[in-house]
Amino acid sequence: MGADTGSGLLADIELEAILQFGSREMTLREVLQHACGDVVELDRHESQPVDLVVGNRIVARGQVVVSNGNFALRVTEVAAPQLRLESVACRS
């Protein structure tokens, strides 16, 4: 079985894709103290690209845009094909 055939078998599998803007560690006490309208600062500067994460791996990076009234990602960088394939590999 060639590499193309193996990749083809995976093409129709649905995966959860997450846009990761940044992160921040907080205690449960800090989380519970938040109210509507509070702002939580992240560890990423606004000019840095956001990450498209699939299977706990970054597969692409880009800019957040609005498309037809919805948030979207304009991809500016894509991970190498082998890294993207590894991110969807089955784990035992």
Side-chain angles (χ1 to χ4, degrees), residues 3-4 10 28 42 50 52 57 85 92:
D4 290 338
L10 298 175
L28 181 56
L42 304 176
V50 298
L52 175 60
R57 292 190 186 243
L85 185 57
S92 52

Side-chain angles (χ1 to χ4, degrees), residues 54-57 86-92:
V54 175
N56 294 324
R57 292 190 186 243
E86 287 173 6
S87 73
V88 297
C90 294
R91 294 184 173 92
S92 52

Side-chain angles (χ1 to χ4, degrees), residues 24 26 34-42:
R24 177 172 178 185
M26 298 179 359
H34 284 291
C36 281
D38 286 354
V39 174
V40 177
E41 291 187 30
L42 304 176

Side-chain angles (χ1 to χ4, degrees), residues 16-30:
E16 182 178 37
I18 298 169
L19 285 184
Q20 184 172 319
F21 291 85
S23 63
R24 177 172 178 185
E25 289 188 20
M26 298 179 359
T27 64
L28 181 56
R29 181 182 316 277
E30 291 172 310

Side-chain angles (χ1 to χ4, degrees), residues 60-75:
R61 289 194 164 111
Q63 302 168 323
V64 175
V65 296
V66 176
S67 175
N68 297 322
N70 295 311
F71 287 113
L73 177 69
R74 176 179 292 130
V75 175

